[in-house]
Amino acid sequence: PELSTLVSLVKEAGLAGALSNPEATLTVFAPTNAAFAAVPKDILDYLLTNTTALIQVLAYHVLPEEILSKELPQTPIPELTLEGQNVKLVANTTGAFVNEAKVVKADNLAKNGVAHFIDAVLVPKGLL
C-alpha cells in the first residue's frame, strides 16, 4: 500500500514487465504515496496524459545495477539512470539521499535488485 501510486503509474506506463525482469539487476528509488501526493496536481495530470514524459520520470528512478544503502558514498557521486541522466547519490550523518530526496526505507530486496523508498518524486532536468 505504501507504493500503490508508483505501482499504478508503472502499470499505466507499461513498465511492469521491464522492472520485474528476472534477467535485470536494478536499483529502484521508489517514491512513496506521500511523495506523489506532494506533486502539484497539474504536473501529475500532465504525466498521466503524456506517456512519454511518465516513462522518462519513472526511468529516472531506476539504476541498471544493484546498490545497497551500505554502498552509498559519503561524498556525492553521479550514477546514470535508465532515463539517461545522472542522479546524485550520497549517505551522510543525516541519512541517504538521491538528489534531494531522502531514503525513508532502504534495502527492500527483490529477485532482480533492490528498492529504496524515497520521500520525493525525482524529475529529470529539462522535462517540466
Side-chain angles (χ1 to χ4, degrees):
E2 196 173 1
L3 301 177
S4 59
T5 303
L6 175 63
V7 170
S8 66
L9 291 174
V10 165
K11 289 177 182 174
E12 179 81 23
L15 295 175
L19 292 180
S20 61
N21 179 353
E23 302 298 313
T25 302
L26 306 171
T27 297
V28 177
F29 294 101
T32 62
N33 290 344
F36 278 106
V39 174
K41 185 180 179 337
D42 59 329
I43 292 174
L44 206 49
D45 288 345
Y46 170 73
L47 294 174
L48 289 171
T49 58
N50 185 328
T51 305
T52 301
L54 178 60
I55 289 170
Q56 285 179 278
V57 166
L58 294 174
Y60 190 60
H61 290 79
V62 183
L63 305 179
E65 61 185 307
E66 182 180 273
I67 299 177
L68 299 174
S69 62
K70 67 181 179 188
E71 299 169 317
L72 293 174
Q74 291 183 342
T75 9
I77 62 159
E79 284 287 338
L80 190 63
T81 67
L82 291 184
E83 183 270 339
Q85 292 188 50
N86 287 324
V87 290
K88 179 181 68 178
L89 303 180
V90 68
N92 56 38
T93 56
T94 59
F97 296 86
V98 54
N99 291 352
E100 304 305 317
K102 185 172 187 173
V103 174
V104 293
K105 189 175 180 187
D107 299 335
N108 300 278
L109 299 177
K111 290 180 183 174
N112 65 343
V114 63
H116 304 293
F117 298 4
I118 57 175
D119 69 354
V121 176
L122 308 173
V123 178
K125 289 181 180 129
L127 182 67
L128 301 175

